[in-house]
Amino acid sequence: MSAGAAKSPLIAMRGAGYYSSNTAGAKSVIDSAADLALEAIAGLDLPAGPGPFSIADFGAADGGTSLDLMRRVVGALRERAADLPITLTYTDLPGNDFSALFGMLQAEGGLGRAPGVFAFASGTTFYRQIVPDGTLHFGFSATAMHWLSRSPGLIADHTHAVGASPAETEAYRTQSLADWETILLARARELASGGVLVMANFSVDDDGHYLGWTGGVNMHDSFAAHWRALAADGTLRAEEYRAAAFQQYYKTRDEFAAPFADPQSPVRRAGLTLERIFSRVTPCPYRADFERHGDAQAFARAYVPTLRSWSESTFFSALDTGRPIEERRAIIDRFYGACEDAVAADPAGHAMDYVHCFMVIRKA
Amino acid sequence: MSAGAAKSPLIAMRGAGYYSSNTAGAKSVIDSAADLALEAIAGLDLPAGPGPFSIADFGAADGGTSLDLMRRVVGALRERAADLPITLTYTDLPGNDFSALFGMLQAEGGLGRAPGVFAFASGTTFYRQIVPDGTLHFGFSATAMHWLSRSPGLIADHTHAVGASPAETEAYRTQSLADWETILLARARELASGGVLVMANFSVDDDGHYLGWTGGVNMHDSFAAHWRALAADGTLRAEEYRAAAFQQYYKTRDEFAAPFADPQSPVRRAGLTLERIFSRVTPCPYRADFERHGDAQAFARAYVPTLRSWSESTFFSALDTGRPIEERRAIIDRFYGACEDAVAADPAGHAMDYVHCFMVIRKA
C-alpha cells in the first residue's frame, strides 16, 4: 500500500520500517502473487546480450513486503543463469524512506549484496517513465496504484471515494481511468519485448467488496464516522472536516481490463496484452490472530496501527497548518484512539480484508 | 566531501540540503573539474547498442554540488546524440539523504526530468561494485574517497591522521592504500571498454599542503586544540577525547598514482590506465568573502558551519552514548561555538583551502 502518485502532501508513509512491520497483510498478498511472478518469468527469454536482467518494484516503500518475492525471483533466475547480472530497481516518491530500503538491502546477507545483484532506487512517480526504453524484463507492483496522480476534489461527507456522492465518485473514477492509462503507457515504454508485469492492485470485486469491506464493519465508513464525530464535537473546523479525502480509487476488474479490450487502444498499440486477471480476497491477519486469541484489546492495539500506517497522512494533512504541530498531532492521536476504543469495545466484524485485482501483462 | 566508506557511525552527513548549501568550496572544485570531464567524454565512443549511456557519481551526498557538472555532461551528450538514453546513478551510504537528492532531481525543471534522462540512487558503499560489469561509461567522484572503509585505530593526541604519531599515520596510510586498490578494482569491473573516471580527491600536495593547511592556521590542529581544551576543562572524559579521529587519510599524488605504475599490478591488469593526474588548490570561498567584506563575525558565522557539515558526526560519535542526547548536543554546540569564537576573535590565517588531486582514468 505504498505511495506512488505524484508528490502530494496527502501521500506520505511513516518511515523507518514502521510500514512493513505493520503490514503483515500486504506481505501476505505479495507472497500469494509470487507464484504468478515465477510462472510469468519462467516463460521469459533471458537477455541475449551481456546486459542485465532488469527487475523493478513500482511503489516499493521500504521494500520489506516484496523482499521474499524478490528473493524467489532472483533465485529462479540464478538457477537458469549462474552469472546473469540482475538489477533491482525500487521506485517510490522522492520523500520515501530510501535509507530504510538500502539499510535492509545492504545489510549483511541482504539481497543487495547477493552475487551479481545490483540494487537501485528511483524517487520517481510511477506516473512517469522510470527506466530507459525497452530495458525492463520484470515489473512488479503491489498495493500502490490506487493512489491517484492528483486529487479529483473534495468529498463533502465521507473520507473515501467508496462513500462519496455519485458526482464525486465519477470525478475520482475519471481520474483513476486516466491515471491507469498513463501508468500502462509508461510501463509499455520501459518493457523489453517479452517482458512482463505482475500487479496486485486494490480493487472492487464482483461482490462489491473492497479493502476493509467484505461484509462486516465497513472500515471506510468507520473512518468517516470517527472523523465526523470530531467535527460534531467541535474539534475539527468545517474546512478540516471536508478536506480529509483519500487520494485513491479502487477500480473494478472491468475497469482494470478496459484499456486492453480494443486492439486499437493506445495501450494495445503500445504492445501490451493482458494475459491474466482475477480478484482475490486476502483475509485480515490481525482478525485471524484475534479469532485465535480472543483478546479484543490486543486485537485493537495490533489492528489500528496497520490502518494508521497508510491513512494517517491523509487525516493529518487535512488539519489547518495554522494549528501548532503538537495540537495537530494530538487531534490525530485522539482520532486513532477513538478508532481503537471502538474496535476494543465491540470487535465483531472489524477486519481489513484485502481485495485485490491480480494481473499479468506482457509486452509483445 | 561526501561519505562513501562502509557503514560506520563515524560517517554521516547532515541531511536536507545542509550539506550543499554549506559547501560552496566543494562545488567550486567540481566546477573546475567539469572541463576535465567534458574533454574526457568528448573522446569517448557512444554506446553502439540501444542501451543507455551510463553516468555515476560516487559519494554524491545530495547531488547538489555536482549538479552543474552533470547538466553540462548531459548537454554535451545530447548535442552528439539527440535520442541517447542517459542514466544518472548517484551513490552514497545507505543513511544518505536520498529524499533530498530525488527532491532536487525530480523538481520542476530538475535534471531527472530532462527528456531521455533516468536518475537512480544506490545506497551502496563505493568499496563494493555498484553497477553491473562493463556498463559504466562515465564515473565521477569528488571529495569523497578520503573516507576509509574502516577505522585503522585511535589517534592518541590529535583528531586527524595529519597530526598523528608516525605509527598511527602508517596504520591510516596502509588502510588508505588498500582501500584505493579496492575502489579502483570495483570501478574497473563496472567500466565499459573506453569508459572513463574523473576524480577529484583530497590529497597532500608537493608543498605538504592539504585541506585546511596551506600556510595559515592549520584547521586540523585547531580542531584538535579545541577538542583538547574540552578534555582539559573536564567536559570530555578521557575515552571520549581519544575516540575522536576522522576515519580519513589524504594521499599524496604518488600514492594515488602508485597502483598504475607497474603494468603487472592488479589495477593495470584490470584494464585501467592513468591518463592525467595533477594537484590543485581551491581557495576557501568563505575566506575570499571575508577579504572583501572584512567582517570577522560574519566570516566566522559562515565559515564554521561548512566545517561542521562534514566534521560533526566524527566528534558527536566520540561522545559516550550513556550521556543524554541533549547533553551530547550541548557539548558539540560548545565545541563549534569555541571554534567560531576563535575565528571571530582572530580571523587571520583561517581558511579551508581545498587541496585536491585530479585524475582521469580510462578503461582499455
Side-chain angles (χ1 to χ4, degrees):
Chain A
M1 209 165 343
S2 158
K7 67 179 175 177
S8 158
L10 297 181
I11 298 178
M13 296 290 134
R14 294 182 61 156
Y18 183 94
Y19 184 70
S20 281
S21 58
N22 283 286
T23 50
K27 185 169 176 321
S28 160
V29 168
I30 296 184
D31 288 347
S32 70
D35 291 342
L36 213 57
L38 290 171
E39 190 186 307
I41 286 171
L44 202 158
D45 290 337
L46 299 184
F53 187 97
S54 163
I55 297 171
D57 183 351
F58 296 96
D62 65 13
T65 51
S66 67
L67 183 62
D68 286 350
L69 178 140
M70 289 297 174
R71 282 194 189 281
R72 289 178 63 188
V73 167
V74 167
L77 292 168
R78 260 303 149 263
E79 284 187 14
R80 290 173 65 188
D83 298 324
L84 180 70
I86 299 169
T87 62
L88 294 178
T89 302
Y90 290 84
T91 87
D92 214 304
L93 293 178
N96 186 52
D97 188 350
F98 293 105
S99 291
L101 173 72
F102 284 120
M104 177 194 73
L105 291 171
Q106 298 299 341
E108 201 68 52
L111 185 57
R113 290 200 177 203
V117 172
F118 304 92
F120 302 94
S122 177
T124 308
T125 167
F126 50 57
Y127 289 110
R128 299 183 60 233
Q129 183 177 346
I130 298 174
V131 302
D133 288 21
T135 61
L136 179 65
H137 299 94
F138 172 57
F140 179 74
S141 185
T143 320
M145 294 175 172
H146 54 296
W147 292 100
L148 303 175
S149 67
R150 52 178 291 277
S151 169
L154 295 178
I155 296 174
D157 195 32
H158 206 278
T159 54
H160 197 282
V162 297
S165 73
E168 290 163 347
T169 301
E170 187 54 26
Y172 276 71
R173 182 177 176 274
T174 300
Q175 184 64 49
S176 177
L177 298 184
D179 279 355
W180 180 227
E181 183 171 288
T182 300
I183 288 170
L184 291 172
L185 293 177
R187 304 295 83 76
R189 289 193 294 276
E190 294 166 341
L191 281 168
S193 176
V196 72
L197 292 174
V198 171
M199 296 186 178
N201 288 318
F202 279 156
S203 179
V204 177
D205 73 8
D206 292 350
D207 299 323
H209 290 161
Y210 50 80
L211 179 75
W213 164 243
T214 48
V217 174
N218 186 309
M219 176 193 72
H220 280 299
D221 288 346
S222 296
F223 273 148
H226 288 296
W227 193 247
R228 202 176 290 121
L230 287 181
D233 73 8
T235 303
L236 296 179
R237 298 166 188 161
E239 60 273 26
E240 292 176 322
Y241 173 64
R242 278 194 304 271
F246 289 97
Q247 192 174 309
Q248 298 180 351
Y249 182 82
Y250 305 147
K251 283 185 283 295
T252 64
R253 204 174 54 204
D254 285 350
E255 287 166 347
F256 278 116
F260 301 92
D262 179 357
Q264 295 309 314
S265 73
V267 166
R268 286 287 294 279
R269 279 188 282 124
L272 297 189
T273 54
L274 182 60
E275 289 193 345
R276 294 184 66 178
I277 183 167
F278 59 87
S279 302
R280 191 186 291 161
V281 176
T282 305
C284 176
Y286 298 96
R287 181 76 205 175
D289 284 348
F290 173 58
E291 304 291 348
R292 279 190 293 274
H293 62 60
D295 180 339
Q297 296 277 355
F299 170 48
R301 274 199 310 273
Y303 172 68
V304 172
T306 199
L307 274 54
R308 186 167 183 165
S309 72
W310 54 268
S311 64
E312 180 173 12
S313 60
T314 291
F315 293 108
F316 190 85
S317 61
L319 299 179
D320 190 332
T321 54
R323 295 187 192 263
I325 184 93
E326 299 73 23
E327 187 178 319
R328 283 180 276 160
R329 286 196 183 124
I331 292 171
I332 295 301
D333 284 343
R334 248 182 80 195
F335 173 69
Y336 288 104
C339 293
E340 197 171 312
D341 291 347
V343 172
D346 184 6
H350 283 283
M352 190 178 76
D353 293 339
Y354 279 25
V355 181
H356 278 90
C357 180
F358 289 75
M359 279 165 281
V360 178
I361 295 164
R362 201 174 292 267
K363 172 88 177 281
Chain B
M1 210 165 344
S2 158
K7 67 179 173 177
S8 157
L10 297 182
I11 300 177
M13 298 288 135
R14 294 183 61 156
Y18 182 95
Y19 184 70
S20 281
S21 58
N22 284 286
T23 49
K27 184 168 178 321
S28 160
V29 168
I30 297 184
D31 288 346
S32 70
D35 291 342
L36 213 56
L38 289 171
E39 190 186 307
I41 285 171
L44 201 159
D45 290 336
L46 299 183
F53 187 96
S54 163
I55 297 171
D57 183 351
F58 297 95
D62 65 12
T65 51
S66 67
L67 183 62
D68 286 349
L69 178 141
M70 289 298 173
R71 282 193 189 281
R72 290 178 65 188
V73 168
V74 167
L77 291 168
R78 259 304 149 262
E79 283 187 16
R80 290 173 65 189
D83 299 324
L84 180 71
I86 299 169
T87 62
L88 294 178
T89 301
Y90 290 84
T91 87
D92 215 303
L93 293 179
N96 186 51
D97 188 350
F98 294 105
S99 290
L101 173 72
F102 284 120
M104 176 194 75
L105 291 171
Q106 298 298 342
E108 202 64 55
L111 184 57
R113 290 200 177 202
V117 172
F118 304 92
F120 301 93
S122 177
T124 307
T125 167
F126 49 58
Y127 289 110
R128 298 183 59 234
Q129 183 176 347
I130 298 175
V131 302
D133 288 20
T135 61
L136 179 65
H137 299 93
F138 172 58
F140 179 75
S141 186
T143 319
M145 293 174 171
H146 54 297
W147 292 100
L148 303 175
S149 67
R150 53 179 290 279
S151 168
L154 295 178
I155 297 174
D157 195 33
H158 205 279
T159 55
H160 198 282
V162 297
S165 73
E168 290 163 348
T169 301
E170 187 53 27
Y172 276 72
R173 183 176 176 274
T174 300
Q175 183 66 47
S176 177
L177 298 186
D179 279 354
W180 180 227
E181 184 172 287
T182 300
I183 287 170
L184 291 172
L185 293 176
R187 302 295 84 76
R189 288 192 296 276
E190 294 166 341
L191 281 167
S193 178
V196 71
L197 292 174
V198 172
M199 296 186 179
N201 288 318
F202 279 156
S203 178
V204 177
D205 73 7
D206 292 350
D207 299 322
H209 290 161
Y210 49 81
L211 178 74
W213 164 242
T214 48
V217 174
N218 187 307
M219 177 193 72
H220 280 299
D221 288 347
S222 295
F223 273 148
H226 287 296
W227 194 246
R228 204 176 289 122
L230 287 182
D233 74 7
T235 303
L236 296 179
R237 298 165 188 160
E239 60 272 29
E240 292 175 323
Y241 173 64
R242 278 195 304 271
F246 289 98
Q247 191 174 310
Q248 298 180 351
Y249 182 83
Y250 304 148
K251 284 185 282 296
T252 64
R253 203 175 54 207
D254 284 349
E255 286 167 348
F256 278 117
F260 301 92
D262 178 358
Q264 295 309 315
S265 74
V267 166
R268 286 287 293 281
R269 279 187 283 126
L272 297 189
T273 53
L274 183 60
E275 290 193 345
R276 295 184 66 179
I277 182 165
F278 59 88
S279 302
R280 191 187 291 161
V281 176
T282 306
C284 176
Y286 297 95
R287 180 77 205 177
D289 283 349
F290 173 58
E291 305 290 348
R292 281 190 293 274
H293 61 61
D295 181 339
Q297 295 278 353
F299 170 48
R301 271 199 312 274
Y303 172 67
V304 172
T306 199
L307 273 55
R308 185 168 182 163
S309 72
W310 55 268
S311 63
E312 180 173 11
S313 60
T314 291
F315 293 108
F316 190 85
S317 61
L319 299 179
D320 190 332
T321 54
R323 294 187 193 264
I325 184 94
E326 299 73 23
E327 187 179 319
R328 283 178 278 159
R329 286 196 182 124
I331 291 171
I332 296 302
D333 285 344
R334 246 182 81 196
F335 173 70
Y336 288 104
C339 293
E340 197 171 313
D341 291 348
V343 172
D346 183 8
H350 284 282
M352 190 178 77
D353 293 341
Y354 280 23
V355 181
H356 278 90
C357 179
F358 289 75
M359 278 166 280
V360 178
I361 296 165
R362 200 174 294 267
K363 171 89 177 279

